[in-house]
Amino acid sequence: MNNIFLTAPNIYKLSSSSAEGLTLLNAFDVALLESGIGNTNLVKMSSILPPNCEYQDNIKLPLGSLVPVAYASIVSKKEGQKISAAVACAIPKDKTKNGLIMEYEDYDISKIEAERVVIEMAKWGMEKRDYEIGKIVSISAEHIVERNGCAFACVVLWWK
Amino acid sequence: MNNIFLTAPNIYKLSSSSAEGLTLLNAFDVALLESGIGNTNLVKMSSILPPNCEYQDNIKLPLGSLVPVAYASIVSKKEGQKISAAVACAIPKDKTKNGLIMEYEDYDISKIEAERVVIEMAKWGMEKRDYEIGKIVSISAEHIVERNGCAFACVVLWWK
Amino acid sequence: MNNIFLTAPNIYKLSSSSAEGLTLLNAFDVALLESGIGNTNLVKMSSILPPNCEYQDNIKLPLGSLVPVAYASIVSKKEGQKISAAVACAIPKDKTKNGLIMEYEDYDISKIEAERVVIEMAKWGMEKRDYEIGKIVSISAEHIVERNGCAFACVVLWWK
């Protein structure tokens, strides 16, 4: 059967961004635009890098297409508050195994702190699987809220 | 590659409804039934109308199929409380561009207020994209809670 | 058109588990591993068993593939707290009709209580549809929190 659900994505990319907006949802929407995925239909998933998935810096996503994505997102209306979001993707040494994506976001922490936590989470999850880590890639965003702020970080999966 | 994730949906439809249920999740389920999508598997996405997507009033959704949907939903157990949900879909003048769907829900507001807010959100997001708006379509629902209430509004995407 | 979104899943399986983790998200991840779906990309959906969907105890899910799943999940950091999650799947007598999946989770209840509630929810939803019930299958998990705990129960859908 020709079934895309049976065919795991084979390329991925990391992005992060922060934004202000008219409302919290608008701020999230602008953050998606800044991350290069704002004109697609994000389908949130939890959160595995398929085996042999290749990093590709410039993934062309058709407008309005359904895009599987793992993301960390945080919004706030509290003026002056710092918000941060981070994702980490642990890639196994053994390329026939899957990798693990972790997401973390919090109030009142820096992007460096968020990224440190999410990397620990990814390491811990790989140890739990008894998978040896080849490398970990991560990305984060930090934002100081003006009126309606959003910090966002994601791993986008796609097919080449 | 024959891949539905690469093929954006090409028809859409708006629905809204409200309901009571045995529990909050049951109320949500009945609202889905009232909106004509209660016997499918909704996959929530954020929230773009693909280019050249056509409005179709009567979309036939196979029972149990996976249906991409953008929705606003609000539930409450507080007797007498008013709850409202609304979605707006801004369609660009330039049909090669995508449209934008926004969702809004809140306690203690009317459906008219909810719809006014969500239309502003859609306008703002289109301006942010520098897209000229052709038209905006919107829909909303309002409900006075008895025991377990839900107000729901959605844009369903599908393929013709 | 060859479109997997048009082809409803035709096999399903129930699982439940509980776990501790480094963080709440890690606990959720370990619960997914214990339920046999931790190395796939879960896409949460609400919540219908397609017509003629067959129970299959051993569904082989490709690593990293996008897997439609209905689930109940609850996490807690409160040491000693009991948490429970349950799902029920009501299957109609008339096999051309769809079934209904319900999810329920709560703090400070046993898995037996959670399963009792979720079965009532599924019954109620089938009555609302005027569907005669053939049988109800259900599953649940209960956990006493140590540091970061998760209780999880799910219905996985797939294609054979």
Side-chain angles (χ1 to χ4, degrees):
Chain A
M1 184 183 186
N2 188 334
N3 183 329
I4 188 52
F5 271 86
L6 298 176
T7 311
N10 49 23
I11 52 175
Y12 75 102
K13 157 189 174 166
L14 278 68
S15 286
S16 68
S17 51
S18 64
E20 287 285 317
L22 177 69
T23 64
L24 295 176
L25 183 58
N26 283 108
F28 177 70
D29 179 50
V30 178
L32 298 185
L33 286 171
E34 299 290 328
S35 278
I37 53 178
N39 288 320
T40 65
N41 279 311
L42 300 183
V43 177
K44 192 170 187 174
M45 35 140 245
S46 65
S47 318
I48 291 298
L49 191 76
N52 290 305
C53 202
E54 286 171 28
Y55 189 84
Q56 195 169 302
D57 207 43
N58 201 345
I59 297 182
K60 171 116 193 73
L61 300 167
L63 299 176
S65 57
L66 301 167
V67 176
V69 63
Y71 66 80
S73 178
I74 184 165
V75 292
S76 166
K77 285 174 160 305
K78 196 171 160 188
E79 194 190 329
Q81 186 172 43
K82 186 183 288 181
I83 50 177
S84 292
V87 292
C89 184
I91 299 153
K93 269 208 175 134
D94 179 349
K95 297 298 179 196
T96 66
K97 290 192 162 68
N98 58 279
L100 176 64
I101 303 165
M102 281 279 157
E103 308 95 34
Y104 185 70
E105 63 269 298
D106 209 351
Y107 305 99
D108 305 317
I109 60 166
S110 69
K111 58 180 275 182
I112 290 168
E113 290 170 284
E115 208 163 326
R116 190 185 54 71
V117 171
V118 83
I119 288 171
E120 285 311 305
M121 291 166 71
K123 277 186 190 166
W124 193 91
M126 291 293 272
E127 268 167 39
K128 202 77 190 172
R129 282 166 172 80
D130 269 323
Y131 284 8
E132 211 181 335
I133 296 173
K135 65 172 174 177
I136 294 184
V137 290
S138 60
I139 201 165
S140 58
E142 175 181 314
H143 185 65
I144 307 293
V145 177
E146 292 164 36
R147 293 171 61 99
N148 296 286
C150 177
F152 178 80
C154 72
V155 180
V156 177
L157 301 184
W158 199 242
W159 294 263
K160 72 169 174 189
Chain B
M1 186 184 183
N2 188 336
N3 182 330
I4 188 51
F5 271 85
L6 297 175
T7 311
N10 50 22
I11 52 176
Y12 75 103
K13 160 191 170 164
L14 279 67
S15 286
S16 67
S17 51
S18 64
E20 288 284 318
L22 176 71
T23 64
L24 294 176
L25 182 58
N26 283 108
F28 177 70
D29 178 50
V30 177
L32 299 184
L33 286 171
E34 298 291 328
S35 277
I37 53 176
N39 288 320
T40 65
N41 278 311
L42 300 183
V43 177
K44 191 169 190 176
M45 37 143 241
S46 65
S47 318
I48 291 298
L49 192 75
N52 291 304
C53 201
E54 286 171 29
Y55 189 83
Q56 196 169 299
D57 206 44
N58 201 344
I59 297 182
K60 170 113 192 77
L61 300 167
L63 299 176
S65 57
L66 301 168
V67 176
V69 63
Y71 65 79
S73 177
I74 185 165
V75 293
S76 167
K77 285 174 160 303
K78 197 171 158 186
E79 193 189 330
Q81 185 172 43
K82 186 184 289 181
I83 50 177
S84 292
V87 291
C89 185
I91 298 153
K93 268 208 175 131
D94 179 348
K95 296 299 179 197
T96 66
K97 290 191 163 67
N98 57 279
L100 177 64
I101 303 165
M102 281 278 159
E103 308 94 34
Y104 185 70
E105 63 269 299
D106 210 352
Y107 305 98
D108 305 316
I109 62 166
S110 71
K111 59 180 275 183
I112 291 168
E113 291 169 282
E115 208 163 327
R116 190 186 54 71
V117 171
V118 83
I119 287 170
E120 284 311 306
M121 291 166 68
K123 277 186 188 163
W124 193 92
M126 292 293 271
E127 270 167 38
K128 201 77 191 172
R129 283 168 172 78
D130 269 324
Y131 284 8
E132 212 180 335
I133 296 172
K135 66 170 175 179
I136 294 184
V137 291
S138 60
I139 200 165
S140 57
E142 175 181 314
H143 185 66
I144 307 293
V145 177
E146 293 164 35
R147 292 172 59 99
N148 295 287
C150 177
F152 177 82
C154 72
V155 180
V156 177
L157 301 184
W158 198 241
W159 295 262
K160 72 169 174 189
Chain C
M1 184 182 183
N2 187 334
N3 183 332
I4 188 52
F5 272 85
L6 298 175
T7 311
N10 51 22
I11 53 175
Y12 75 103
K13 157 187 174 168
L14 279 68
S15 287
S16 68
S17 51
S18 65
E20 288 285 318
L22 176 71
T23 65
L24 294 176
L25 183 58
N26 282 109
F28 177 71
D29 178 50
V30 177
L32 298 185
L33 285 171
E34 299 290 327
S35 277
I37 54 176
N39 288 321
T40 66
N41 278 311
L42 300 184
V43 177
K44 192 170 187 175
M45 37 141 241
S46 64
S47 315
I48 291 296
L49 191 77
N52 291 306
C53 203
E54 285 171 29
Y55 190 84
Q56 195 169 301
D57 206 45
N58 201 345
I59 297 183
K60 170 114 192 77
L61 300 167
L63 299 177
S65 56
L66 301 166
V67 176
V69 62
Y71 65 80
S73 177
I74 185 166
V75 292
S76 167
K77 284 174 162 303
K78 198 171 157 185
E79 194 189 328
Q81 186 172 42
K82 187 184 286 182
I83 51 177
S84 292
V87 291
C89 184
I91 299 153
K93 268 207 175 135
D94 178 349
K95 297 296 178 198
T96 68
K97 288 191 164 67
N98 57 279
L100 176 64
I101 303 165
M102 281 279 160
E103 307 94 32
Y104 185 70
E105 64 269 297
D106 210 352
Y107 304 99
D108 305 316
I109 60 167
S110 70
K111 58 180 277 183
I112 291 167
E113 290 170 283
E115 207 163 329
R116 190 186 53 71
V117 171
V118 83
I119 288 169
E120 284 312 305
M121 292 166 68
K123 277 185 188 164
W124 193 91
M126 292 292 272
E127 269 167 38
K128 202 78 192 172
R129 282 167 173 80
D130 269 325
Y131 285 8
E132 210 180 336
I133 296 172
K135 66 170 174 178
I136 294 184
V137 290
S138 60
I139 200 165
S140 58
E142 175 182 314
H143 184 64
I144 308 293
V145 177
E146 293 163 36
R147 292 171 62 100
N148 295 287
C150 176
F152 177 83
C154 72
V155 180
V156 177
L157 301 183
W158 199 242
W159 294 264
K160 71 169 172 189

